[in-house]
Amino acid sequence: MDLHHGQLYWRTTEPPHLDVKPVPVRDYYDVVIVGGGMSGSLCAYTLIQEGLQIAVIDSGEMGGGSTSANTGLLQFSNDIMLHELIEQIGEENAVRFYRLCLEALDQLEEAAETIEDTGAGSSHFIRRSSLCYASTEADKAKLIKEYEALTRHGFPVEYWDEDKLEAEFPFSKPAALITHRDAEVNPLRFNHGVMRYLLDHGADLFDHTEAKQIEDTADGIEVHTNRGVFRAGHVIVTTGYSSPPLLGNAGLDLNRSYVIVTEPIEDLSSWKENMMIWETKRPYLYLRTTVDQRIVAGGLDEDQPETPHSETLINSRAERIRDEVQRLFPALPIRIAYRWAAVFGESVDNLPFIGRHPYRQKLYYLLGYGGNGTVYSMLGSHILKDLISGRPNRDAEIVRLDRESMMQT
């Protein structure tokens, strides 16, 4: 599957190919991670703190899949609002999941600081607030209900009415929520920085290494690849939107989305605190800024499970996104520099799939489906750390694999 097509901005900010020198395959690894994108790198980062011997394999380049097309908005709010999630899975689990997302943002910040302090590179991780506006007057009631749910449980949020929003931004909407302690990141620089940290701390990385078969053995598990057999105590699959081996896709809805990145804009003072912006409408427009004064904006999700290769189509969707951004910021010179389309997946219940395979005790999955995939990857890595170490983790129940009929028969 082609996960993206078009002109990718992040590859101009970081060499697209991580220098991974060939090393021999060890006789045994504590954990083999299948997938070298954001989920795989964060999982390996968390596990290596436990002193485990880790191998990360990827069928292509490290970070070359969805990570290169990721727009780098990191939020504790999710595509499903807290009050909606409470109705779906109950108040205790819904609030706990939101708190896990907030904790994951702190863990991501700590990881970003660690890799920078150790000389592995800056990921441009910056704390931001997020603004979610009511797309229509009818959506105002939804935001009020969400504000009440978030404040009742102590999450950092403000409610802005129309007058307050007009006083702070050059556009008018019926209402907005401002959530704090979110962040933005350059996803490719973050991924590569984590990978360099892993190399410096004894992990083995293998690019262009395809997992062809995963087999249980009497004393562990084996991954058969074009580079030979990897023997391990545990295997974690972090293959993102590519079809995960030994799982069905009943719980996954694949579609495609479009992204633009503008030319640098000299004066962004009308954009209060460089907040990340999104809306209540589905599919939604979302936008953020970059360290070099560009705007990243995306949306126009389509229910198509493949990336379009038509430049005309991508250009058309890019112009529509540009026009939406221009309506929000009419005084800014919005000129497109990069545009792409990417496959995007979300679970049918808007939660990630994380945990042990129901029938195979040494096989685990970290599948951060949804618009908050990087946050899910970090919180999931801590759940898997406990499961692999034999420690109980009550949060694993919320995101377990078999909560939907997802298994192959």
Side-chain angles (χ1 to χ4, degrees), residues 31-298:
V31 182
V32 171
I33 296 173
V34 181
M38 190 67 81
S39 295
S41 65
L42 291 175
C43 192
Y45 172 85
T46 301
L47 292 176
I48 209 165
Q49 314 303 320
E50 298 286 289
L52 301 177
Q53 184 61 58
I54 307 293
V56 182
I57 69 173
D58 195 283
S59 60
E61 302 280 350
M62 298 294 173
S66 297
T67 298
S68 294
N70 186 326
T71 48
L73 287 79
L74 309 178
Q75 299 165 307
F76 73 83
S77 292
N78 290 265
D79 289 350
I80 182 169
M81 290 185 170
L82 176 58
H83 74 271
E84 297 168 329
L85 191 59
I86 288 172
E87 294 175 1
Q88 178 176 295
I89 64 173
E91 189 159 24
E92 182 179 356
N93 282 341
V95 172
R96 177 58 185 163
F97 183 73
Y98 257 61
R99 287 190 176 135
L100 287 173
C101 291
L102 193 57
E103 290 170 10
L105 280 157
D106 293 336
Q107 292 159 354
L108 287 165
E109 181 176 33
E110 181 181 348
E113 291 172 349
T114 297
I115 65 173
E116 184 166 0
D117 290 345
T118 57
S122 171
S123 61
H124 298 161
F125 183 101
I126 302 172
R127 286 288 193 171
R128 299 287 189 203
S129 297
S130 295
L131 183 152
C132 178
Y133 63 77
S135 305
T136 65
E137 186 67 33
D139 287 344
K140 183 176 176 180
K142 179 189 290 187
L143 285 188
I144 292 173
K145 193 171 184 179
E146 182 67 0
Y147 173 72
E148 291 171 347
L150 289 170
T151 53
R152 185 168 68 250
H153 293 287
F155 290 98
V157 61
E158 299 177 46
Y159 177 81
W160 285 7
D161 61 16
E162 186 173 8
D163 291 341
K164 173 66 172 175
L165 187 55
E166 286 181 355
E168 300 291 354
F169 279 91
F171 56 84
S172 178
K173 298 294 177 182
L177 292 186
I178 311 299
T179 52
H180 302 293
R181 294 174 58 188
D182 291 334
E184 67 184 34
V185 74
N186 179 323
L188 187 60
R189 287 176 67 96
F190 195 17
N191 172 267
H192 283 185
V194 173
M195 290 298 187
R196 285 189 283 267
Y197 174 91
L198 293 172
L199 287 171
D200 290 342
H201 288 76
D204 290 344
L205 308 185
F206 300 87
D207 55 9
H208 302 288
T209 304
E210 182 181 0
K212 297 181 177 181
Q213 191 171 355
I214 300 175
E215 293 184 344
D216 294 318
T217 65
D219 56 354
I221 190 166
E222 293 180 348
V223 183
H224 295 253
T225 77
N226 55 300
R227 198 176 291 220
V229 178
F230 289 73
R231 295 175 177 84
H234 309 272
V235 168
I236 301 175
V237 175
T238 65
T239 49
Y241 304 135
S242 298
S243 180
L246 306 178
L247 279 182
N249 283 333
L252 175 62
D253 181 24
L254 284 177
N255 50 47
R256 65 192 185 198
S257 189
Y258 299 87
V259 181
I260 66 168
V261 178
T262 70
E263 297 286 356
I265 299 172
E266 183 176 349
D267 184 6
L268 284 172
S269 58
S270 61
W271 193 315
K272 182 178 175 62
E273 298 175 0
N274 293 88
M275 288 185 185
M276 300 181 294
I277 300 173
W278 57 317
E279 61 176 327
T280 55
K281 182 177 68 176
R282 296 295 187 268
Y284 54 81
L285 174 73
Y286 56 91
L287 50 162
R288 54 161 288 193
T289 59
T290 67
V291 294
D292 58 347
Q293 298 283 98
R294 300 175 189 268
I295 296 172
V296 180

